[in-house]
Amino acid sequence: MKVLYCQQNSAGEEITFVFQERENLPVTRDNDVKIQVKACALSWTDIKLLSEMKMKKEFLPIGREIAGVVLEVGSKVSFFQPDDEVVGILPLDLEESGLCEVALVHEHYLVHKPEKVPWVEAAGTVRDGLRAYTALHYLSHVSPGKTVLVMDGASPFGTIAIQLAQHRGAKVISTAYSLEDKQYLERLRPPVGTRQPLIARVIDVSNGKIDVAESCLEETGGLGVDIVLDAGVRLYSKDDESTLKQQLLPHKHDIITLLSVGGHWVTTEKNLQLDPPDSNCLFLKGATVSFLNDEVWNLSNVQQGKYLCILEDVMEKLSNSIFRPQLDEPVPLYEAKVSMEIVQKNQARKRQVIQF
């Protein structure tokens, strides 16, 4: 049975992805669930995080968001039985790759998949749904009437975040990095029969001439945005940034400027540096800065019940068409290596899913 792994022999060396043959799975333990994998989504592998968590090894398992059918359960498994359809995210320290035909998973990392949700959609939505819930519910407490700015709304995560914010009755503003993204966002309508609002404004930043802060303040009547979900920020001037996409990112000062009094800035920028004037401005506004790291749910068992409730709610919203994910066409296992290389280089604009 072929399994895909990530390999990096030494620090600074380019990451490669390799298939390895695996003879047999380990014996099913008391709390393990043996799954026949039907679909596995691909996500960027954070080598630096794994190294900092002392989890780095020569061969890292690839493919952690899986959906499949239960084949066998351990003697102490209470939530599942054979033939159940399940979905989940494998933990960071799991030895087994999800990108294989059969996987062993502890029952506390899985939830039931609604019958009418396709395998590919379940695997392709579960992580982005978890990130959106973490950002909007637990870090910024979205509620009806709030204004939410979602940077790069046409990305897989941005799409789900917009749909969740709309479902909660928030007014949504989004940025687009290309004309295609802008057109996609303008077509992103809520489910038929609901009263959810459309995206209030799509800000096209592709030409680098539009001021995001000015546009947001104009849209909110000068009050500012209650919640900002960034897709990275520019820490320095445009001339110091190496890539075009980095040059299109908003500067940290822009985000602080467009925040409302009591606003929440949820950032994915792990190297964010705030100077004393930045901190003073946030203090005067009574605003907060939170770091979005969805891995924290699986790094501690304290929040396990809440974590599983989120996954169940994500599947329910997917079943009810509240979530309509941004997925690419599913690809077979033999093309997984090429697809993962695209994902690792951040070149995929849609969620990549392997279908078995």
Side-chain angles (χ1 to χ4, degrees):
M1 184 165 54
K2 279 189 173 182
V3 182
L4 187 66
Y5 289 92
C6 168
Q7 183 180 21
Q8 186 182 35
N9 295 321
S10 59
E13 185 178 308
E14 188 175 347
I15 295 170
T16 57
F17 298 96
V18 294
F19 278 110
Q20 290 191 343
E21 287 290 339
R22 186 176 64 187
E23 294 298 326
N24 295 303
L25 278 172
V27 177
T28 305
R29 293 167 296 191
D30 290 345
N31 294 103
D32 281 348
V33 178
K34 183 184 284 188
I35 301 171
Q36 180 183 356
V37 180
K38 295 291 187 179
C40 177
L42 303 180
S43 295
W44 185 73
T45 302
D46 193 338
I47 300 294
K48 186 176 180 182
L49 174 64
L50 289 167
S51 179
E52 290 171 350
M53 299 298 299
K54 311 298 183 186
M55 295 179 183
K56 188 179 173 186
K57 39 189 177 284
E58 185 180 354
F59 292 99
L60 296 168
I62 292 298
R64 293 172 50 212
E65 303 93 76
I66 63 171
V69 178
V70 175
L71 298 174
E72 180 186 338
V73 297
S75 59
K76 293 184 179 178
V77 172
S78 56
F79 296 121
F80 306 102
Q81 56 189 11
D83 297 326
D84 280 353
E85 297 182 353
V86 296
V87 61
I89 303 174
L90 307 185
L92 271 173
D93 59 352
L94 193 72
E95 298 291 333
E96 302 297 324
S97 168
L99 205 57
C100 58
E101 295 174 356
V102 180
L104 274 181
V105 189
H106 193 287
E107 67 169 331
H108 289 165
Y109 297 114
L110 300 169
V111 296
H112 288 93
K113 179 188 78 67
E115 189 175 341
K116 72 177 188 178
V117 173
W119 299 111
V120 170
E121 287 192 13
T125 309
V126 64
R127 178 175 292 280
D128 290 320
L130 174 66
R131 296 188 80 213
Y133 261 83
T134 304
L136 290 172
H137 280 271
Y138 294 97
L139 296 179
S140 58
H141 313 292
V142 68
S143 59
K146 296 283 188 182
T147 304
V148 180
L149 171 62
V150 180
M151 301 289 189
D152 192 14
S155 67
F157 166 63
T159 297
I160 297 297
I162 286 171
Q163 291 164 356
L164 181 58
Q166 287 179 322
H167 179 68
R168 290 304 307 273
K171 174 182 177 179
V172 178
I173 304 170
S174 183
T175 60
Y177 288 155
S178 67
L179 179 59
E180 291 79 9
D181 287 354
K182 184 175 186 288
Q183 293 171 343
Y184 167 76
L185 290 168
E186 288 172 343
R187 295 193 305 267
L188 195 62
R189 295 180 175 274
V192 176
T194 66
R195 294 185 176 180
Q196 297 171 28
L198 301 174
I199 298 176
R201 178 180 288 196
V202 178
I203 305 169
D204 185 357
V205 298
S206 58
N207 59 14
K209 297 178 181 178
I210 304 296
D211 189 311
V212 175
E214 186 178 308
S215 298
C216 289
L217 290 171
E218 179 185 319
E219 184 64 36
T220 58
L223 296 176
V225 172
D226 299 302
I227 299 169
V228 177
L229 306 188
D230 73 33
V233 294
R234 188 158 42 86
L235 302 178
Y236 313 105
S237 67
K238 286 187 178 182
D239 297 335
D240 295 328
E241 298 293 358
S242 57
T243 66
L244 176 61
K245 185 172 181 181
Q246 286 174 324
Q247 292 174 9
L248 294 177
L249 291 174
H251 196 280
K252 58 183 179 179
H253 299 310
D254 295 333
I255 294 182
I256 294 172
T257 299
L258 63 83
L259 270 177
S260 67
V261 172
H264 301 278
W265 174 12
V266 181
T267 182
T268 57
E269 180 54 67
K270 65 177 72 174
N271 296 318
L272 180 67
Q273 299 176 14
L274 295 178
D275 300 318
D278 302 329
S279 299
N280 185 58
C281 188
L282 289 168
F283 168 76
L284 292 173
K285 291 188 175 189
T288 64
V289 179
S290 303
F291 291 87
L292 178 57
N293 176 14
D294 53 284
E295 299 293 357
V296 296
W297 293 104
N298 280 331
L299 293 176
S300 170
N301 292 327
V302 174
Q303 305 281 356
Q304 197 71 32
K306 193 177 290 185
Y307 168 69
L308 293 177
C309 283
I310 295 173
L311 298 191
E312 288 174 350
D313 210 33
V314 169
M315 288 299 110
E316 181 187 342
K317 285 179 170 50
L318 189 58
S319 176
N320 295 332
S321 298
I322 294 168
F323 286 164
R324 301 172 307 288
Q326 174 83 304
L327 304 178
D328 213 338
E329 288 296 320
V331 297
L333 180 61
Y334 65 83
E335 292 183 12
K337 183 174 179 289
V338 175
S339 296
M340 192 60 214
E341 288 170 351
I342 293 172
V343 170
Q344 194 64 24
K345 292 175 182 176
N346 286 319
Q347 294 175 347
R349 288 300 293 161
K350 297 181 179 181
R351 179 65 64 207
Q352 305 292 305
V353 183
I354 308 301
Q355 187 171 30
F356 292 85

